[in-house]
mmCIF file of all heavy atoms in Angstrom:
data_model
loop_
_atom_site.group_PDB
_atom_site.id
_atom_site.type_symbol
_atom_site.label_atom_id
_atom_site.label_comp_id
_atom_site.label_asym_id
_atom_site.label_seq_id
_atom_site.Cartn_x
_atom_site.Cartn_y
_atom_site.Cartn_z
ATOM 1 N N MET A 24 -3.334 -8.780 -7.306
ATOM 2 C CA MET A 24 -3.052 -7.724 -8.307
ATOM 3 C C MET A 24 -1.825 -6.883 -7.735
ATOM 4 O O MET A 24 -1.764 -6.520 -6.630
ATOM 5 C CB MET A 24 -4.330 -6.792 -8.437
ATOM 6 C CG MET A 24 -4.008 -5.478 -9.095
ATOM 7 S SD MET A 24 -5.488 -4.409 -9.049
ATOM 8 C CE MET A 24 -5.395 -3.789 -7.408
ATOM 9 N N TYR A 25 -0.901 -6.710 -8.827
ATOM 10 C CA TYR A 25 0.312 -5.907 -8.331
ATOM 11 C C TYR A 25 -0.083 -4.420 -8.346
ATOM 12 O O TYR A 25 -0.746 -3.985 -9.325
ATOM 13 C CB TYR A 25 1.418 -6.077 -9.305
ATOM 14 C CG TYR A 25 2.172 -7.405 -9.070
ATOM 15 C CD1 TYR A 25 1.966 -8.489 -9.749
ATOM 16 C CD2 TYR A 25 3.046 -7.423 -7.964
ATOM 17 C CE1 TYR A 25 2.652 -9.722 -9.480
ATOM 18 C CE2 TYR A 25 3.757 -8.616 -7.604
ATOM 19 C CZ TYR A 25 3.503 -9.715 -8.467
ATOM 20 O OH TYR A 25 4.234 -10.873 -8.160
ATOM 21 N N VAL A 26 0.242 -3.772 -7.262
ATOM 22 C CA VAL A 26 0.063 -2.336 -7.203
ATOM 23 C C VAL A 26 1.337 -1.528 -7.490
ATOM 24 O O VAL A 26 1.357 -0.654 -8.296
ATOM 25 C CB VAL A 26 -0.456 -1.920 -5.792
ATOM 26 C CG1 VAL A 26 -0.610 -0.438 -5.625
ATOM 27 C CG2 VAL A 26 -1.811 -2.582 -5.519
ATOM 28 N N CYS A 27 2.414 -2.056 -6.857
ATOM 29 C CA CYS A 27 3.731 -1.391 -7.106
ATOM 30 C C CYS A 27 4.633 -2.373 -7.854
ATOM 31 O O CYS A 27 5.056 -3.372 -7.306
ATOM 32 C CB CYS A 27 4.338 -1.066 -5.755
ATOM 33 S SG CYS A 27 5.954 -0.341 -5.870
ATOM 34 N N LEU A 28 4.753 -2.128 -9.124
ATOM 35 C CA LEU A 28 5.519 -3.007 -10.045
ATOM 36 C C LEU A 28 6.996 -2.908 -9.678
ATOM 37 O O LEU A 28 7.713 -3.895 -9.825
ATOM 38 C CB LEU A 28 5.294 -2.722 -11.469
ATOM 39 C CG LEU A 28 3.874 -2.959 -11.928
ATOM 40 C CD1 LEU A 28 3.678 -2.521 -13.403
ATOM 41 C CD2 LEU A 28 3.575 -4.453 -11.828
ATOM 42 N N CYS A 29 7.447 -1.709 -9.338
ATOM 43 C CA CYS A 29 8.848 -1.576 -9.014
ATOM 44 C C CYS A 29 9.360 -2.479 -7.862
ATOM 45 O O CYS A 29 10.491 -2.972 -7.917
ATOM 46 C CB CYS A 29 9.225 -0.060 -8.653
ATOM 47 S SG CYS A 29 8.896 1.016 -9.988
ATOM 48 N N HIS A 30 8.466 -2.658 -6.952
ATOM 49 C CA HIS A 30 8.886 -3.484 -5.795
ATOM 50 C C HIS A 30 8.126 -4.848 -5.655
ATOM 51 O O HIS A 30 8.270 -5.549 -4.711
ATOM 52 C CB HIS A 30 8.732 -2.711 -4.482
ATOM 53 C CG HIS A 30 9.661 -1.501 -4.412
ATOM 54 N ND1 HIS A 30 10.957 -1.644 -4.206
ATOM 55 C CD2 HIS A 30 9.382 -0.190 -4.700
ATOM 56 C CE1 HIS A 30 11.480 -0.435 -4.153
ATOM 57 N NE2 HIS A 30 10.632 0.471 -4.528
ATOM 58 N N GLY A 31 7.179 -5.062 -6.677
ATOM 59 C CA GLY A 31 6.439 -6.386 -6.676
ATOM 60 C C GLY A 31 5.492 -6.467 -5.487
ATOM 61 O O GLY A 31 5.388 -7.542 -4.872
ATOM 62 N N ILE A 32 4.788 -5.363 -5.115
ATOM 63 C CA ILE A 32 3.910 -5.390 -4.015
ATOM 64 C C ILE A 32 2.518 -5.413 -4.410
ATOM 65 O O ILE A 32 1.991 -4.622 -5.339
ATOM 66 C CB ILE A 32 4.148 -4.086 -3.082
ATOM 67 C CG1 ILE A 32 5.621 -3.906 -2.681
ATOM 68 C CG2 ILE A 32 3.212 -4.100 -1.958
ATOM 69 C CD1 ILE A 32 6.118 -4.936 -1.840
ATOM 70 N N THR A 33 1.755 -6.384 -3.801
ATOM 71 C CA THR A 33 0.334 -6.622 -4.235
ATOM 72 C C THR A 33 -0.629 -5.821 -3.312
ATOM 73 O O THR A 33 -0.262 -5.371 -2.247
ATOM 74 C CB THR A 33 0.022 -8.141 -4.130
ATOM 75 O OG1 THR A 33 0.160 -8.542 -2.809
ATOM 76 C CG2 THR A 33 0.890 -8.957 -4.978
ATOM 77 N N ASP A 34 -1.903 -5.801 -3.739
ATOM 78 C CA ASP A 34 -2.916 -5.174 -2.889
ATOM 79 C C ASP A 34 -3.031 -5.958 -1.641
ATOM 80 O O ASP A 34 -3.280 -5.370 -0.551
ATOM 81 C CB ASP A 34 -4.253 -5.073 -3.716
ATOM 82 C CG ASP A 34 -4.694 -6.403 -4.104
ATOM 83 O OD1 ASP A 34 -3.995 -7.269 -4.467
ATOM 84 O OD2 ASP A 34 -5.998 -6.536 -4.216
ATOM 85 N N LYS A 35 -2.858 -7.289 -1.674
ATOM 86 C CA LYS A 35 -3.031 -8.079 -0.510
ATOM 87 C C LYS A 35 -1.915 -7.771 0.520
ATOM 88 O O LYS A 35 -2.254 -7.666 1.678
ATOM 89 C CB LYS A 35 -2.888 -9.631 -0.861
ATOM 90 C CG LYS A 35 -4.104 -10.190 -1.325
ATOM 91 C CD LYS A 35 -3.977 -11.688 -1.531
ATOM 92 C CE LYS A 35 -5.230 -12.303 -2.072
ATOM 93 N NZ LYS A 35 -5.086 -13.710 -2.480
ATOM 94 N N ALA A 36 -0.736 -7.495 -0.009
ATOM 95 C CA ALA A 36 0.289 -7.126 0.890
ATOM 96 C C ALA A 36 0.097 -5.783 1.629
ATOM 97 O O ALA A 36 0.422 -5.561 2.802
ATOM 98 C CB ALA A 36 1.702 -7.105 0.213
ATOM 99 N N ILE A 37 -0.530 -4.821 0.868
ATOM 100 C CA ILE A 37 -0.820 -3.505 1.416
ATOM 101 C C ILE A 37 -1.888 -3.677 2.482
ATOM 102 O O ILE A 37 -1.833 -3.060 3.539
ATOM 103 C CB ILE A 37 -1.223 -2.547 0.286
ATOM 104 C CG1 ILE A 37 -0.044 -2.325 -0.639
ATOM 105 C CG2 ILE A 37 -1.789 -1.213 0.865
ATOM 106 C CD1 ILE A 37 -0.332 -1.478 -1.915
ATOM 107 N N LYS A 38 -3.006 -4.421 2.105
ATOM 108 C CA LYS A 38 -4.028 -4.638 3.107
ATOM 109 C C LYS A 38 -3.553 -5.268 4.348
ATOM 110 O O LYS A 38 -3.973 -4.896 5.503
ATOM 111 C CB LYS A 38 -5.157 -5.529 2.470
ATOM 112 C CG LYS A 38 -5.936 -4.808 1.442
ATOM 113 C CD LYS A 38 -6.894 -5.755 0.744
ATOM 114 C CE LYS A 38 -7.635 -5.089 -0.408
ATOM 115 N NZ LYS A 38 -8.324 -6.047 -1.175
ATOM 116 N N ARG A 39 -2.669 -6.214 4.219
ATOM 117 C CA ARG A 39 -2.001 -6.898 5.347
ATOM 118 C C ARG A 39 -1.274 -5.875 6.288
ATOM 119 O O ARG A 39 -1.361 -5.856 7.471
ATOM 120 C CB ARG A 39 -1.100 -8.041 4.940
ATOM 121 C CG ARG A 39 -0.755 -8.985 6.111
ATOM 122 C CD ARG A 39 0.066 -10.149 5.621
ATOM 123 N NE ARG A 39 -0.316 -10.727 4.346
ATOM 124 C CZ ARG A 39 0.544 -10.815 3.295
ATOM 125 N NH1 ARG A 39 1.753 -10.407 3.423
ATOM 126 N NH2 ARG A 39 0.025 -11.351 2.193
ATOM 127 N N ALA A 40 -0.507 -4.973 5.566
ATOM 128 C CA ALA A 40 0.237 -3.955 6.296
ATOM 129 C C ALA A 40 -0.706 -3.030 7.072
ATOM 130 O O ALA A 40 -0.338 -2.620 8.254
ATOM 131 C CB ALA A 40 1.158 -3.281 5.292
ATOM 132 N N VAL A 41 -1.774 -2.695 6.549
ATOM 133 C CA VAL A 41 -2.780 -1.834 7.187
ATOM 134 C C VAL A 41 -3.377 -2.641 8.368
ATOM 135 O O VAL A 41 -3.402 -2.073 9.469
ATOM 136 C CB VAL A 41 -3.835 -1.335 6.230
ATOM 137 C CG1 VAL A 41 -4.939 -0.681 7.028
ATOM 138 C CG2 VAL A 41 -3.250 -0.485 5.134
ATOM 139 N N ARG A 42 -3.869 -3.787 8.196
ATOM 140 C CA ARG A 42 -4.554 -4.572 9.213
ATOM 141 C C ARG A 42 -3.587 -5.066 10.320
ATOM 142 O O ARG A 42 -3.996 -5.011 11.449
ATOM 143 C CB ARG A 42 -5.275 -5.701 8.607
ATOM 144 C CG ARG A 42 -6.362 -5.337 7.648
ATOM 145 C CD ARG A 42 -7.333 -6.511 7.479
ATOM 146 N NE ARG A 42 -8.487 -6.081 6.657
ATOM 147 C CZ ARG A 42 -8.776 -6.523 5.371
ATOM 148 N NH1 ARG A 42 -7.976 -7.364 4.851
ATOM 149 N NH2 ARG A 42 -9.782 -5.992 4.696
ATOM 150 N N GLU A 43 -2.463 -5.545 9.929
ATOM 151 C CA GLU A 43 -1.653 -6.271 10.918
ATOM 152 C C GLU A 43 -0.526 -5.269 11.520
ATOM 153 O O GLU A 43 -0.078 -5.519 12.618
ATOM 154 C CB GLU A 43 -1.004 -7.500 10.352
ATOM 155 C CG GLU A 43 -2.014 -8.494 9.946
ATOM 156 C CD GLU A 43 -1.486 -9.741 9.273
ATOM 157 O OE1 GLU A 43 -0.192 -9.900 9.366
ATOM 158 O OE2 GLU A 43 -2.242 -10.485 8.784
ATOM 159 N N ASP A 44 -0.161 -4.336 10.697
ATOM 160 C CA ASP A 44 1.016 -3.528 11.150
ATOM 161 C C ASP A 44 0.661 -2.062 11.426
ATOM 162 O O ASP A 44 1.511 -1.212 11.791
ATOM 163 C CB ASP A 44 2.116 -3.571 10.112
ATOM 164 C CG ASP A 44 2.676 -4.975 9.923
ATOM 165 O OD1 ASP A 44 2.759 -5.679 10.883
ATOM 166 O OD2 ASP A 44 2.926 -5.303 8.732
ATOM 167 N N GLY A 45 -0.655 -1.756 11.298
ATOM 168 C CA GLY A 45 -1.181 -0.411 11.601
ATOM 169 C C GLY A 45 -0.725 0.710 10.687
ATOM 170 O O GLY A 45 -0.766 1.841 10.950
ATOM 171 N N VAL A 46 -0.345 0.324 9.344
ATOM 172 C CA VAL A 46 0.006 1.351 8.425
ATOM 173 C C VAL A 46 -1.226 2.134 8.059
ATOM 174 O O VAL A 46 -2.326 1.579 7.781
ATOM 175 C CB VAL A 46 0.586 0.658 7.107
ATOM 176 C CG1 VAL A 46 0.734 1.629 5.990
ATOM 177 C CG2 VAL A 46 1.973 0.047 7.426
ATOM 178 N N GLY A 47 -1.050 3.497 8.112
ATOM 179 C CA GLY A 47 -2.209 4.350 7.809
ATOM 180 C C GLY A 47 -1.964 5.455 6.808
ATOM 181 O O GLY A 47 -2.828 6.282 6.560
ATOM 182 N N SER A 48 -0.804 5.447 6.216
ATOM 183 C CA SER A 48 -0.569 6.435 5.236
ATOM 184 C C SER A 48 0.475 5.951 4.193
ATOM 185 O O SER A 48 1.139 4.912 4.417
ATOM 186 C CB SER A 48 0.132 7.710 5.925
ATOM 187 O OG SER A 48 1.372 7.383 6.381
ATOM 188 N N THR A 49 0.522 6.588 3.014
ATOM 189 C CA THR A 49 1.542 6.156 2.012
ATOM 190 C C THR A 49 2.916 6.302 2.499
ATOM 191 O O THR A 49 3.858 5.621 2.090
ATOM 192 C CB THR A 49 1.296 6.885 0.681
ATOM 193 O OG1 THR A 49 1.336 8.266 0.887
ATOM 194 C CG2 THR A 49 0.013 6.430 -0.025
ATOM 195 N N ARG A 50 3.147 7.318 3.344
ATOM 196 C CA ARG A 50 4.496 7.469 3.860
ATOM 197 C C ARG A 50 4.948 6.275 4.725
ATOM 198 O O ARG A 50 5.972 5.788 4.599
ATOM 199 C CB ARG A 50 4.584 8.733 4.711
ATOM 200 C CG ARG A 50 5.943 8.953 5.286
ATOM 201 C CD ARG A 50 5.998 10.282 6.124
ATOM 202 N NE ARG A 50 5.667 11.455 5.291
ATOM 203 C CZ ARG A 50 5.825 12.652 5.697
ATOM 204 N NH1 ARG A 50 6.278 12.928 6.945
ATOM 205 N NH2 ARG A 50 5.647 13.631 4.902
ATOM 206 N N GLU A 51 4.008 5.804 5.531
ATOM 207 C CA GLU A 51 4.327 4.654 6.359
ATOM 208 C C GLU A 51 4.465 3.368 5.492
ATOM 209 O O GLU A 51 5.310 2.519 5.728
ATOM 210 C CB GLU A 51 3.159 4.367 7.401
ATOM 211 C CG GLU A 51 3.207 5.468 8.488
ATOM 212 C CD GLU A 51 1.949 5.422 9.423
ATOM 213 O OE1 GLU A 51 1.028 4.531 9.084
ATOM 214 O OE2 GLU A 51 1.926 6.159 10.272
ATOM 215 N N LEU A 52 3.638 3.309 4.446
ATOM 216 C CA LEU A 52 3.707 2.137 3.559
ATOM 217 C C LEU A 52 5.067 2.113 2.800
ATOM 218 O O LEU A 52 5.717 1.090 2.569
ATOM 219 C CB LEU A 52 2.631 2.233 2.531
ATOM 220 C CG LEU A 52 2.249 0.986 1.770
ATOM 221 C CD1 LEU A 52 1.868 -0.211 2.709
ATOM 222 C CD2 LEU A 52 1.146 1.311 0.719
ATOM 223 N N ARG A 53 5.561 3.374 2.463
ATOM 224 C CA ARG A 53 6.875 3.391 1.783
ATOM 225 C C ARG A 53 8.020 2.973 2.731
ATOM 226 O O ARG A 53 8.886 2.240 2.363
ATOM 227 C CB ARG A 53 7.115 4.888 1.374
ATOM 228 C CG ARG A 53 8.391 5.023 0.642
ATOM 229 C CD ARG A 53 8.542 6.435 -0.026
ATOM 230 N NE ARG A 53 8.485 7.399 0.968
ATOM 231 C CZ ARG A 53 7.700 8.508 0.853
ATOM 232 N NH1 ARG A 53 6.902 8.729 -0.266
ATOM 233 N NH2 ARG A 53 7.617 9.375 1.726
ATOM 234 N N THR A 54 7.891 3.410 3.937
ATOM 235 C CA THR A 54 8.895 2.933 5.039
ATOM 236 C C THR A 54 8.861 1.457 5.106
ATOM 237 O O THR A 54 9.884 0.744 5.231
ATOM 238 C CB THR A 54 8.702 3.625 6.320
ATOM 239 O OG1 THR A 54 8.681 5.066 6.091
ATOM 240 C CG2 THR A 54 9.699 3.217 7.328
ATOM 241 N N LYS A 55 7.657 0.842 5.230
ATOM 242 C CA LYS A 55 7.496 -0.528 5.544
ATOM 243 C C LYS A 55 7.820 -1.492 4.344
ATOM 244 O O LYS A 55 8.500 -2.482 4.486
ATOM 245 C CB LYS A 55 6.079 -0.752 5.998
ATOM 246 C CG LYS A 55 5.666 -2.166 6.359
ATOM 247 C CD LYS A 55 5.668 -2.345 7.820
ATOM 248 C CE LYS A 55 5.458 -3.837 8.109
ATOM 249 N NZ LYS A 55 6.429 -4.305 9.086
ATOM 250 N N LEU A 56 7.245 -1.131 3.210
ATOM 251 C CA LEU A 56 7.284 -2.019 2.033
ATOM 252 C C LEU A 56 8.029 -1.504 0.784
ATOM 253 O O LEU A 56 8.358 -2.136 -0.104
ATOM 254 C CB LEU A 56 5.912 -2.458 1.576
ATOM 255 C CG LEU A 56 5.073 -3.189 2.586
ATOM 256 C CD1 LEU A 56 3.663 -3.490 2.012
ATOM 257 C CD2 LEU A 56 5.686 -4.556 3.003
ATOM 258 N N GLY A 57 8.391 -0.151 0.875
ATOM 259 C CA GLY A 57 9.076 0.431 -0.250
ATOM 260 C C GLY A 57 8.133 0.974 -1.335
ATOM 261 O O GLY A 57 8.621 1.486 -2.370
ATOM 262 N N VAL A 58 6.768 0.786 -1.191
ATOM 263 C CA VAL A 58 5.928 1.218 -2.139
ATOM 264 C C VAL A 58 6.042 2.707 -2.367
ATOM 265 O O VAL A 58 5.994 3.504 -1.488
ATOM 266 C CB VAL A 58 4.412 0.927 -1.679
ATOM 267 C CG1 VAL A 58 3.344 1.548 -2.495
ATOM 268 C CG2 VAL A 58 4.158 -0.591 -1.635
ATOM 269 N N GLY A 59 6.139 3.099 -3.729
ATOM 270 C CA GLY A 59 6.162 4.483 -4.054
ATOM 271 C C GLY A 59 7.553 5.086 -4.024
ATOM 272 O O GLY A 59 7.731 6.324 -4.244
ATOM 273 N N SER A 60 8.586 4.335 -3.638
ATOM 274 C CA SER A 60 9.911 4.971 -3.397
ATOM 275 C C SER A 60 10.744 4.946 -4.674
ATOM 276 O O SER A 60 11.861 5.487 -4.669
ATOM 277 C CB SER A 60 10.643 4.134 -2.322
ATOM 278 O OG SER A 60 10.822 2.835 -2.734
ATOM 279 N N GLN A 61 10.197 4.484 -5.743
ATOM 280 C CA GLN A 61 10.981 4.559 -7.042
ATOM 281 C C GLN A 61 10.281 5.413 -8.069
ATOM 282 O O GLN A 61 10.652 6.495 -8.088
ATOM 283 C CB GLN A 61 11.206 3.062 -7.572
ATOM 284 C CG GLN A 61 12.438 2.895 -8.357
ATOM 285 C CD GLN A 61 12.905 1.445 -8.440
ATOM 286 O OE1 GLN A 61 12.832 0.670 -7.533
ATOM 287 N NE2 GLN A 61 13.380 1.132 -9.606
ATOM 288 N N CYS A 62 9.508 4.947 -8.822
ATOM 289 C CA CYS A 62 8.825 5.767 -9.874
ATOM 290 C C CYS A 62 7.627 6.606 -9.369
ATOM 291 O O CYS A 62 7.305 7.657 -9.905
ATOM 292 C CB CYS A 62 8.406 4.995 -11.055
ATOM 293 S SG CYS A 62 6.825 4.013 -10.764
ATOM 294 N N GLY A 63 7.000 6.082 -8.355
ATOM 295 C CA GLY A 63 5.921 6.871 -7.698
ATOM 296 C C GLY A 63 4.550 6.653 -8.363
ATOM 297 O O GLY A 63 3.518 7.265 -7.913
ATOM 298 N N ARG A 64 4.446 5.853 -9.381
ATOM 299 C CA ARG A 64 3.175 5.729 -10.126
ATOM 300 C C ARG A 64 2.118 5.008 -9.322
ATOM 301 O O ARG A 64 0.949 5.133 -9.652
ATOM 302 C CB ARG A 64 3.423 5.033 -11.422
ATOM 303 C CG ARG A 64 3.745 5.972 -12.576
ATOM 304 C CD ARG A 64 3.909 5.158 -13.808
ATOM 305 N NE ARG A 64 5.276 5.261 -14.359
ATOM 306 C CZ ARG A 64 5.900 4.399 -15.080
ATOM 307 N NH1 ARG A 64 5.311 3.286 -15.348
ATOM 308 N NH2 ARG A 64 7.114 4.692 -15.403
ATOM 309 N N CYS A 65 2.519 4.271 -8.305
ATOM 310 C CA CYS A 65 1.609 3.463 -7.564
ATOM 311 C C CYS A 65 1.010 4.152 -6.314
ATOM 312 O O CYS A 65 0.104 3.685 -5.643
ATOM 313 C CB CYS A 65 2.363 2.223 -7.014
ATOM 314 S SG CYS A 65 3.820 2.710 -6.030
ATOM 315 N N ILE A 66 1.447 5.358 -6.092
ATOM 316 C CA ILE A 66 1.094 6.046 -4.820
ATOM 317 C C ILE A 66 -0.445 6.275 -4.719
ATOM 318 O O ILE A 66 -1.068 5.962 -3.656
ATOM 319 C CB ILE A 66 1.790 7.387 -4.680
ATOM 320 C CG1 ILE A 66 3.295 7.169 -4.401
ATOM 321 C CG2 ILE A 66 1.256 8.164 -3.487
ATOM 322 C CD1 ILE A 66 4.198 8.358 -4.375
ATOM 323 N N GLN A 67 -1.060 6.721 -5.780
ATOM 324 C CA GLN A 67 -2.550 7.086 -5.695
ATOM 325 C C GLN A 67 -3.347 5.739 -5.415
ATOM 326 O O GLN A 67 -4.270 5.715 -4.628
ATOM 327 C CB GLN A 67 -3.065 7.697 -7.016
ATOM 328 C CG GLN A 67 -4.502 8.173 -6.884
ATOM 329 C CD GLN A 67 -4.714 9.166 -5.721
ATOM 330 O OE1 GLN A 67 -4.102 10.135 -5.586
ATOM 331 N NE2 GLN A 67 -5.671 8.782 -4.784
ATOM 332 N N MET A 68 -2.937 4.676 -6.187
ATOM 333 C CA MET A 68 -3.731 3.477 -5.992
ATOM 334 C C MET A 68 -3.377 2.902 -4.477
ATOM 335 O O MET A 68 -4.324 2.375 -3.912
ATOM 336 C CB MET A 68 -3.276 2.367 -7.026
ATOM 337 C CG MET A 68 -4.137 1.173 -6.906
ATOM 338 S SD MET A 68 -3.796 -0.205 -8.157
ATOM 339 C CE MET A 68 -4.210 0.712 -9.610
ATOM 340 N N ALA A 69 -2.191 3.002 -4.082
ATOM 341 C CA ALA A 69 -1.869 2.583 -2.761
ATOM 342 C C ALA A 69 -2.612 3.329 -1.749
ATOM 343 O O ALA A 69 -3.170 2.734 -0.732
ATOM 344 C CB ALA A 69 -0.388 2.717 -2.443
ATOM 345 N N GLN A 70 -2.743 4.667 -1.935
ATOM 346 C CA GLN A 70 -3.606 5.451 -0.973
ATOM 347 C C GLN A 70 -5.049 4.948 -0.993
ATOM 348 O O GLN A 70 -5.711 4.811 0.129
ATOM 349 C CB GLN A 70 -3.599 6.980 -1.460
ATOM 350 C CG GLN A 70 -4.394 7.837 -0.539
ATOM 351 C CD GLN A 70 -3.821 7.984 0.856
ATOM 352 O OE1 GLN A 70 -2.637 8.483 0.955
ATOM 353 N NE2 GLN A 70 -4.461 7.568 1.869
ATOM 354 N N ASP A 71 -5.627 4.690 -2.187
ATOM 355 C CA ASP A 71 -7.050 4.216 -2.272
ATOM 356 C C ASP A 71 -7.168 2.891 -1.577
ATOM 357 O O ASP A 71 -8.148 2.697 -0.901
ATOM 358 C CB ASP A 71 -7.462 4.056 -3.773
ATOM 359 C CG ASP A 71 -7.570 5.361 -4.507
ATOM 360 O OD1 ASP A 71 -7.550 6.436 -3.772
ATOM 361 O OD2 ASP A 71 -7.590 5.368 -5.657
ATOM 362 N N ILE A 72 -6.198 1.978 -1.681
ATOM 363 C CA ILE A 72 -6.311 0.779 -0.935
ATOM 364 C C ILE A 72 -6.184 0.886 0.560
ATOM 365 O O ILE A 72 -6.993 0.245 1.294
ATOM 366 C CB ILE A 72 -5.209 -0.217 -1.494
ATOM 367 C CG1 ILE A 72 -5.604 -0.668 -2.947
ATOM 368 C CG2 ILE A 72 -5.054 -1.501 -0.642
ATOM 369 C CD1 ILE A 72 -4.436 -1.364 -3.679
ATOM 370 N N ILE A 73 -5.306 1.791 0.997
ATOM 371 C CA ILE A 73 -5.301 2.055 2.415
ATOM 372 C C ILE A 73 -6.582 2.573 2.936
ATOM 373 O O ILE A 73 -7.164 2.069 3.908
ATOM 374 C CB ILE A 73 -4.191 3.022 2.761
ATOM 375 C CG1 ILE A 73 -2.765 2.555 2.518
ATOM 376 C CG2 ILE A 73 -4.287 3.558 4.163
ATOM 377 C CD1 ILE A 73 -1.624 3.546 2.455
ATOM 378 N N ASP A 74 -7.217 3.566 2.164
ATOM 379 C CA ASP A 74 -8.416 4.162 2.626
ATOM 380 C C ASP A 74 -9.556 3.109 2.687
ATOM 381 O O ASP A 74 -10.298 2.961 3.645
ATOM 382 C CB ASP A 74 -8.875 5.242 1.649
ATOM 383 C CG ASP A 74 -7.911 6.461 1.788
ATOM 384 O OD1 ASP A 74 -7.176 6.639 2.769
ATOM 385 O OD2 ASP A 74 -7.937 7.333 0.842
ATOM 386 N N MET A 75 -9.675 2.225 1.619
ATOM 387 C CA MET A 75 -10.728 1.283 1.553
ATOM 388 C C MET A 75 -10.531 0.246 2.688
ATOM 389 O O MET A 75 -11.502 -0.285 3.309
ATOM 390 C CB MET A 75 -10.721 0.558 0.245
ATOM 391 C CG MET A 75 -11.327 1.396 -0.878
ATOM 392 S SD MET A 75 -11.550 0.517 -2.355
ATOM 393 C CE MET A 75 -9.904 0.154 -2.863
ATOM 394 N N THR A 76 -9.334 -0.133 3.010
ATOM 395 C CA THR A 76 -9.077 -1.104 4.076
ATOM 396 C C THR A 76 -9.411 -0.539 5.379
ATOM 397 O O THR A 76 -10.010 -1.252 6.216
ATOM 398 C CB THR A 76 -7.582 -1.571 4.048
ATOM 399 O OG1 THR A 76 -7.265 -1.992 2.736
ATOM 400 C CG2 THR A 76 -7.346 -2.701 4.985
ATOM 401 N N ILE A 77 -9.096 0.637 5.626
ATOM 402 C CA ILE A 77 -9.434 1.300 6.880
ATOM 403 C C ILE A 77 -10.999 1.415 7.084
ATOM 404 O O ILE A 77 -11.508 1.043 8.071
ATOM 405 C CB ILE A 77 -8.744 2.693 7.069
ATOM 406 C CG1 ILE A 77 -7.234 2.484 7.197
ATOM 407 C CG2 ILE A 77 -9.455 3.444 8.191
ATOM 408 C CD1 ILE A 77 -6.465 3.803 7.185
ATOM 409 N N ILE A 78 -11.672 1.792 5.928
ATOM 410 C CA ILE A 78 -13.145 1.970 6.023
ATOM 411 C C ILE A 78 -13.796 0.540 6.263
ATOM 412 O O ILE A 78 -14.823 0.489 6.984
ATOM 413 C CB ILE A 78 -13.653 2.597 4.705
ATOM 414 C CG1 ILE A 78 -13.233 3.999 4.648
ATOM 415 C CG2 ILE A 78 -15.171 2.406 4.560
ATOM 416 C CD1 ILE A 78 -13.396 4.697 3.267
ATOM 417 N N ASP A 79 -13.195 -0.508 5.669
ATOM 418 C CA ASP A 79 -13.771 -1.798 5.893
ATOM 419 C C ASP A 79 -13.793 -2.330 7.251
ATOM 420 O O ASP A 79 -14.470 -3.170 7.671
ATOM 421 C CB ASP A 79 -13.044 -2.858 4.979
ATOM 422 C CG ASP A 79 -13.530 -2.813 3.561
ATOM 423 O OD1 ASP A 79 -14.564 -2.151 3.355
ATOM 424 O OD2 ASP A 79 -12.964 -3.520 2.710
ATOM 425 N N GLU A 80 -12.838 -1.781 8.103
ATOM 426 C CA GLU A 80 -12.623 -2.340 9.513
ATOM 427 C C GLU A 80 -13.695 -1.872 10.426
ATOM 428 O O GLU A 80 -14.289 -0.831 10.266
ATOM 429 C CB GLU A 80 -11.321 -2.002 9.964
ATOM 430 C CG GLU A 80 -10.231 -2.779 9.165
ATOM 431 C CD GLU A 80 -8.774 -2.586 9.725
ATOM 432 O OE1 GLU A 80 -8.542 -1.534 10.386
ATOM 433 O OE2 GLU A 80 -8.051 -3.439 9.339
HETATM 434 FE FE1 LIG B 22 5.650 1.613 -7.066
HETATM 435 FE FE2 LIG B 22 7.185 2.331 -9.173
HETATM 436 S S1 LIG B 22 5.355 1.172 -9.161
HETATM 437 S S2 LIG B 22 7.483 2.889 -7.045
#
């Protein structure tokens, strides 16, 4: 599922960034993948995915 349409970033890519690259915030995700750096509509969903991925570990 696409989370960030502006940059074509999927939930899988966000989960991978959390698990493999230690991303723990939307700010880090923006630096790493560009998520949220354009229209910003994806930020809340990206935050939820980060939180769920961290809880799952
Ligand atoms: Fe992510 Fe626009 S949908 S910045």
